[in-house]
Amino acid sequence: RDEAIAAGLMPVLAKDYDGLNAAATEIEKKLTGMGVDLSGQKEGVAFWTERADDGTEVKCKARLDHWLSPVIDDLKTCASAHPNDIDRAIRTFGYEMQAAVYLRALEATFPDLRGKVRFRLLFAELEPPYMVVPVELDDSLLALGRSKWRRSVNLWAQCLKTGNWPGYASEPHVAAARNWDIKQEIEVSPHAAE
């Protein structure tokens, strides 16, 4: 493991290798069949500086899975590439903000590309039949991502200036069942109303 890491490789357990290799081969075939060109820059890194609303400079870095102008492709492996699960994953993991950051990274690095770059998520299942679904975010999600990114830049700048790095909460969080959790349990359990 240590030798592989030192050589810039990613170690994989022998028991997992065949399955992952089969998945990678099938996913690549499906992407190519969909017209996704994988001949571009892989694991490219962009460095740029953002300016917060108060003028503070914030150093930024992004590592793009794949870039072939004008498209940034980001592979997301998943248990289910069903559109409902994809929508949930986008919101759960903040992929709308990732899209905004990556687009901003390229536009800051290459100003002549402003407004010309597209961001595409490629959701791929790791189990047969290795379903693959390409996803582009609409303008509303991109606007939401840009707003979250701007807020993050301002918060980071404030933390850098003040040395105060707030946590998620200052008091204990109280978790509660949501209405749809209760409704779902009532539908499947005769004892839920007790």
Side-chain angles (χ1 to χ4, degrees):
R1 182 195 72 160
D2 294 340
E3 289 175 15
I5 292 170
L9 301 173
M10 180 180 291
V12 176
L13 295 174
K15 68 179 183 69
D16 297 332
Y17 179 78
D18 290 338
L20 291 171
N21 192 45
T25 300
E26 289 303 312
I27 290 167
E28 185 174 4
K29 282 182 194 173
K30 289 191 178 211
L31 289 171
T32 301
M34 293 176 173
V36 176
D37 186 344
L38 300 173
S39 65
Q41 170 72 40
K42 293 170 183 63
E43 295 294 320
V45 180
F47 297 94
W48 77 103
T49 301
E50 293 282 358
R51 190 171 300 280
D53 292 348
D54 68 2
T56 303
E57 289 188 350
V58 177
K59 303 289 184 194
C60 302
K61 173 184 174 182
R63 182 185 305 263
L64 288 62
D65 276 1
H66 183 262
W67 158 247
L68 182 62
S69 187
V71 181
I72 302 167
D73 283 315
D74 196 79
L75 181 67
K76 302 295 184 193
T77 57
C78 56
S80 169
H82 186 280
N84 290 341
D85 296 320
I86 288 171
D87 287 349
R88 186 172 21 261
I90 289 169
R91 284 156 184 81
T92 298
F93 299 111
Y95 295 148
E96 74 280 4
M97 188 163 122
Q98 179 190 9
V101 172
Y102 284 16
L103 291 168
R104 177 71 185 119
L106 284 179
E107 290 175 351
T109 305
F110 305 105
D112 57 312
L113 294 178
R114 190 170 311 238
K116 299 176 186 171
V117 181
R118 292 178 23 234
F119 178 86
R120 178 172 53 194
L121 293 161
L122 304 170
F123 282 85
E125 296 177 358
L126 288 177
E127 298 292 329
Y130 309 108
M131 298 304 293
V132 176
V133 177
V135 178
E136 293 197 30
L137 307 183
D138 76 357
D139 290 340
S140 67
L141 267 177
L142 287 173
L144 181 62
R146 287 185 187 103
S147 178
K148 289 179 178 182
W149 173 240
R150 191 73 204 146
R151 186 167 37 90
S152 297
V153 167
N154 285 320
L155 177 60
W156 188 257
Q158 179 185 3
C159 292
L160 288 171
K161 283 174 58 174
T162 65
N164 180 22
W165 301 84
Y168 292 115
S170 57
E171 310 224 351
H173 170 70
V174 177
R178 297 168 293 188
N179 288 339
W180 70 270
D181 293 324
I182 296 167
K183 181 179 183 268
Q184 184 179 26
E185 183 59 22
I186 289 171
E187 290 173 359
V188 298
S189 174
H191 307 290
E194 295 175 0

